[in-house]
Amino acid sequence: MNRDRIQIAGAEVAVVGGSIAGCATALAAHRAGAGRVTIYERTTGRLADRGVGLAVHNARYAELAAAGYMDAAMPWVQLATRRWYVRDGSAPLGRQVGVLPFPFRSYCWGPLWQELRRRLPEDTVFRPGVRVAAVSDAEDGAALHLDGVEGCGEGGEGSGERQHTGAGPRTERFDLVIGADGYRSVVRDTAFPGVRPGYAGYLAWRGAVPADRLTELRFPGLPADPWAEEDCIYGVFPGGHVIIYRIPDGRGGRRANWVLYTAPPAGLDLGLDTPTSLPPGSLTDSLYAHLAHVTHELLPPYWGGLMRLTPRQEVFIQPMYDFTAPRYTTGRLLLAGDAATVARPHTGAGAVKALQDAAALEAALHAVQERPDALAAYGAERGETGRTMVELGRRLGRFLVQDTPDWHTLGQAGVEAAWAAADGSGAFGGRELKS
């Protein structure tokens, strides 16, 4: 195969990264006619158990459903309204300062990943616990240099298993390598070695609460369930905000998902200039004390109390980074999801962009036989979308965290005007998927 005329029919394809972006791009490669597709995932834990929430704009859902990457079988909750609250004395919910439409469907990461995984053909090879240490690209193919190759690789859901035995480094060659390995992508490091995520200066604390635990929140005069299922709550304060909305738990019930954005305590060195995260169970005393301060002193009592129902060992922290690669393709290497672009989650479009990348990649791979420039076109179009979302995330970050307005004085008209100024291009929830 020559680099300028990649034959996708029957090709050996590697996908580095087995999360939502990885499963979606593996599905794209299969649908475009690839031969065997092998997914490498460095973790060994159960991805299906991840309970973080995400939201998909109704219009973006319709596009992705038409493209075959989402459907009504994936558990979801319909959201409709975004309510903005400030702390107001001892009022349990605080004072509502604005209401905006919020036409989104909410999902739980684990069940959504599981549904994508089930859609993969039975001959897909899924290899957990394998770290791709390096990638190389040449005229006759791309190579993965692996560490920790042990145990077996799994086929798709319900299939037999293809065994891979032996430990230690090894090299495996492919016709095409798709980097879907997140913001610390080894594939991107090979394709564009100078591209590094930049730390934005603040953090996202994340947690979730089973819906039946919300009855533990008791305030005089407040009903047991004081917020509607279709509501998304924005609790705002100087220097940050929390977003709270319900998500499916994957078992027929609901959870209250929350994400708090604010800067860490002054003078605390977390070593965040190098991309990292703080998984559940790793909160330091200083970070937990800061979380307690925000929930007790800066947020309305009910919303702060809801957040405190999440046990400390289940809270995790996601530092805010952003970047975008100059292109999504080079040689036999392709990028998708967070490996290509990371925009701050304020955009409401992280999972959407990953699934759109897969849909656009499928279309490009189908077209490459007639149009050798199809993959370059994929990289250019998705790169433009990535840059738009990075800029949107930065504007919303300034508005909601870094240079917050005086929320108590805004009112409905002020919230509408401030949001319109921050959103700018109207890309909140993701840009339209080009056909």
Side-chain angles (χ1 to χ4, degrees), residues 15 17-28 39 69 113 116-117 120 126 180:
V15 177
S19 62
I20 285 175
C23 287
T25 51
L27 188 58
I39 302 174
Y69 287 87
W113 171 85
L116 284 168
R117 173 78 187 279
L120 292 172
F126 194 96

Side-chain angles (χ1 to χ4, degrees), residues 105-342:
R105 301 159 71 104
S106 71
Y107 294 85
C108 184
W109 195 100
L112 178 60
W113 171 85
Q114 198 166 36
E115 288 294 328
L116 284 168
R117 173 78 187 279
R118 285 174 181 157
R119 284 159 171 72
L120 292 172
E122 290 189 355
D123 60 354
T124 306
V125 180
F126 194 96
R127 300 181 63 184
V130 178
R131 189 178 77 89
V132 177
V135 181
S136 56
D137 184 27
E139 291 288 338
D140 61 346
L144 302 186
H145 307 282
L146 311 176
D147 281 345
V149 182
E150 299 187 25
C152 66
E154 303 173 51
E157 292 286 339
S159 74
E161 296 181 346
R162 181 179 174 194
Q163 299 295 320
H164 297 267
T165 58
R170 62 186 284 182
T171 297
E172 298 183 359
R173 299 190 177 276
F174 295 89
D175 299 315
L176 198 65
V177 170
I178 301 171
D181 47 339
Y183 64 96
R184 292 178 285 189
S185 170
V186 67
V187 182
R188 188 189 65 250
D189 280 347
T190 300
F192 306 106
V195 176
R196 293 286 184 275
Y199 175 50
Y202 60 98
L203 311 174
W205 277 259
R206 289 181 176 269
V209 181
D212 57 7
R213 291 204 62 196
L214 299 181
T215 58
E216 298 176 24
L217 298 171
R218 296 187 178 89
F219 295 89
L222 200 67
D225 191 6
W227 57 301
E229 182 170 278
E230 64 267 20
D231 282 354
C232 173
I233 306 302
Y234 272 50
V236 292
F237 56 89
H241 69 293
V242 66
I243 301 174
I244 303 171
Y245 56 87
R246 289 181 173 88
I247 61 174
D249 64 6
R251 298 181 295 274
R254 299 285 188 262
R255 305 176 88 188
N257 179 76
W258 59 265
V259 189
L260 170 72
Y261 299 93
T262 192
L268 187 63
D269 183 10
L270 298 174
L272 299 178
D273 289 337
T274 300
T276 188
S277 61
L278 299 174
S282 64
L283 255 67
T284 65
D285 290 342
S286 296
L287 286 171
Y288 192 68
H290 187 62
L291 176 62
H293 167 71
V294 171
T295 60
H296 280 286
E297 305 297 332
L298 302 182
L299 289 169
Y302 181 89
W303 309 118
L306 181 153
M307 295 163 64
R308 291 193 300 275
L309 291 176
T310 303
R312 173 175 176 173
Q313 65 271 18
E314 294 179 11
V315 176
F316 69 97
I317 286 182
Q318 175 188 359
M320 293 293 95
Y321 298 99
D322 52 27
F323 74 94
T324 190
R327 301 185 306 280
Y328 281 27
T329 62
T330 180
R332 294 173 179 273
L333 307 181
L334 308 177
L335 300 177
D338 286 352
T341 297
V342 168

Side-chain angles (χ1 to χ4, degrees), residues 382-403:
R382 298 311 297 161
E384 179 187 355
T385 295
R387 286 187 290 275
T388 297
M389 301 317 295
V390 167
E391 288 305 315
L392 174 60
R394 289 171 178 170
R395 289 197 305 273
L396 292 176
R398 287 190 291 270
F399 165 51
L400 292 166
V401 181
Q402 296 165 306
D403 188 19

